[in-house]
Amino acid sequence: MEKLQPILSHLDNLAPLYIAGPCSAESRDQILRTADGVRQAGARVFRAGIWKPRTLPGGFEGVGSVGLEWLLEVKQTTGMAVATEVATAQHVREAMQHEVDILWIGARTSANPFAVQEIADTITTIGADKVAVLVKNPVNPDLELWVGALQRLYNAGVHRLGAIHRGFSVYGQHLYRNLPLWRIPLELARRFPTLPLICDPSHIGGRADLVNTLSRQAMDMGYDGLIIESHCAPQQALSDSRQQITPHQLATLLSGLNVRTHRQPDDSLKNMRDEIDRLDAELLDVLGRRMQLSREIAQYKKEKHIPIFQAERYDQIMTDRISSARRLNMSDDFTRNLMSAIHEESVRQQLTIYNKPH
């Protein structure tokens, strides 16, 4: 994806890109009131869901095509670009007929290669130069599935592309509705540095009071923009009422962001990065010596008929290392994940010794 084009040419030099609007289009009055509010708050693109995929039947599933007329009115009266979610070829056709500027593909749809291909082919047939497409990460933390959806669109001729990080669904109770798992979108950005990366703090947090902090974190990490759910009366919203903020709250949020500019590093930063590189080299050297020792231990265990995995020893290592890491201002989760990865590789190294013939 080397020949990407700007998402919106007339907004090309107005980074970062702020997209805002209600989860769902509910009425003409609600759409026009909210659009005016988010425009004054600083949003450049107005978003609203027209067709709403629901986990269970019986809930509000969107107003349907009539909402596209309201979006077109927003575009004509405010000058804002407009965006909505599409999940089928028919959605694409209707949205493009109503001059929608940006289509986004939701988390459920991006996980379905058949649906993505259908959307890509439909856009190309109508005219890929007429619309931009943003792809939300799949529900599950699968980077390759995300990349695959983007590549399907690109290969079909859709080159005005961007990615939306909306968090990942994992089992159990957590602070966030969808865990950010920042390493996954940052790896996407590393692979495709020209691909615009936009954060969706509303769906990550799932609560209005978390949107501000998540927005700050995303912009501090160099994201290209935000897509935020904002409603003129969130408490009355027909969908996702808990995570929507008012246009006034949006204005306060956007005005308080510290936008990081992409500048070349100075000598001080370069020196610190050089030191990081040196320490990483030392770290890999130490890990290499640790794995060599693991292989020697495996040889000993093999000769003495001792099983590889020792539960008490593993538990002791975890407890001791986490305790030591706390004193070095490292989190328990980081240390646990690190030691788990090291242990997994150590076991793999030992298995290679066990599998060697005598």
Side-chain angles (χ1 to χ4, degrees):
M1 293 189 288
E2 298 178 354
K3 298 179 179 179
L4 292 173
Q5 301 169 4
I7 293 177
L8 292 169
S9 57
H10 62 290
L11 299 178
D12 189 20
N13 297 318
L14 296 177
L17 181 60
Y18 297 138
I19 305 171
C23 172
S24 303
E26 300 164 358
S27 69
R28 176 177 176 273
D29 178 67
Q30 169 245 8
I31 286 296
L32 295 180
R33 285 175 57 201
T34 306
D36 184 60
V38 300
R39 179 188 60 80
Q40 294 185 50
R44 296 175 172 85
V45 180
F46 181 73
R47 57 141 292 157
I50 301 300
W51 304 278
K52 298 300 300 179
R54 312 299 291 182
T55 301
L56 298 175
F60 176 66
E61 296 185 339
V63 296
S65 303
V66 66
L68 294 171
E69 299 175 8
W70 305 336
L71 290 185
L72 181 57
E73 187 173 354
V74 167
K75 181 174 179 175
Q76 293 171 340
T77 58
T78 69
M80 300 174 73
V82 293
T84 197
E85 178 178 354
V86 293
T88 68
Q90 183 60 26
H91 291 171
V92 172
R93 285 190 286 268
E94 291 189 37
M96 293 183 70
Q97 287 170 2
H98 286 81
E99 302 179 26
V100 172
D101 301 282
I102 298 176
L103 309 177
W104 79 79
I105 297 177
R108 293 178 177 89
T109 309
S110 66
N112 184 338
F114 294 106
V116 174
Q117 191 65 57
E118 178 185 271
I119 290 170
D121 292 342
T122 305
I123 292 172
T124 303
T125 299
I126 298 173
D129 60 326
K130 297 179 181 179
V131 72
V133 181
L134 304 178
V135 181
K136 288 196 172 186
N137 62 259
V139 174
N140 295 325
D142 188 336
L143 176 59
E144 299 309 318
L145 203 54
W146 199 2
V147 171
L150 288 158
Q151 288 181 331
R152 283 181 181 277
L153 287 153
Y154 183 84
N155 292 344
V158 182
H159 293 175
R160 292 168 59 193
L161 281 174
I164 298 176
H165 170 214
R166 50 82 74 195
F168 302 87
S169 176
V170 295
Y171 181 75
Q173 297 295 317
H174 301 276
L175 172 64
Y176 300 119
R177 178 180 178 182
N178 297 288
L179 293 188
L181 301 182
W182 299 104
R183 67 182 183 278
I184 295 178
L186 293 179
E187 172 60 17
L188 180 71
R190 185 193 69 80
R191 291 196 199 180
F192 306 103
T194 62
L195 179 73
L197 181 59
I198 294 170
C199 184
D200 180 349
S202 304
H203 279 90
I204 293 176
R207 286 172 23 201
D209 62 309
L210 296 174
V211 171
N212 197 320
T213 298
L214 287 163
S215 298
R216 289 176 180 272
Q217 290 175 344
M219 299 312 293
D220 284 346
M221 284 188 282
Y223 278 58
D224 298 290
L226 301 168
I227 179 168
I228 297 175
E229 291 192 347
S230 180
H231 192 294
C232 57
Q235 68 279 7
Q236 299 172 16
L238 299 181
S239 58
D240 283 348
S241 59
R242 294 180 65 235
Q243 68 190 41
Q244 300 190 68
I245 62 177
T246 66
H248 177 74
Q249 291 171 319
L250 178 69
T252 302
L253 185 159
L254 296 182
S255 65
L257 290 177
N258 186 0
V259 179
R260 309 292 177 176
T261 57
H262 298 279
R263 296 185 299 174
Q264 292 298 317
D266 57 21
D267 289 342
S268 296
L269 181 56
K270 183 178 182 303
N271 291 338
M272 288 187 282
R273 286 177 172 174
D274 289 343
E275 180 67 4
I276 286 286
D277 292 343
R278 183 185 66 77
L279 290 171
D280 283 347
E282 291 182 10
L283 181 61
L284 290 172
D285 182 66
V286 169
L287 287 173
R289 285 185 275 137
R290 190 188 194 282
M291 294 307 163
Q292 174 60 39
L293 189 55
S294 291
R295 292 190 292 272
E296 294 174 10
I297 290 174
Q299 187 62 48
Y300 178 85
K301 288 179 179 177
K302 182 178 181 180
E303 293 171 358
K304 299 296 183 180
H305 304 288
I306 300 172
I308 290 176
F309 182 66
Q310 306 288 311
E312 292 183 2
R313 168 65 177 162
Y314 181 56
D315 184 62
Q316 177 191 347
I317 287 175
M318 275 293 190
T319 301
D320 290 349
R321 303 309 185 262
I322 289 175
S323 178
S324 297
R326 285 175 185 164
R327 294 193 290 270
L328 297 172
N329 199 30
M330 289 184 282
S331 72
D332 290 2
D333 285 345
F334 167 76
T335 308
R336 188 176 295 106
N337 290 335
L338 174 63
M339 295 311 302
S340 294
I342 291 174
H343 183 262
E344 182 178 344
E345 176 62 16
S346 179
V347 169
R348 190 190 70 80
Q349 296 271 349
Q350 293 187 47
L351 283 171
T352 62
I353 300 299
Y354 268 57
N355 291 332
K356 286 182 179 180
H358 292 284

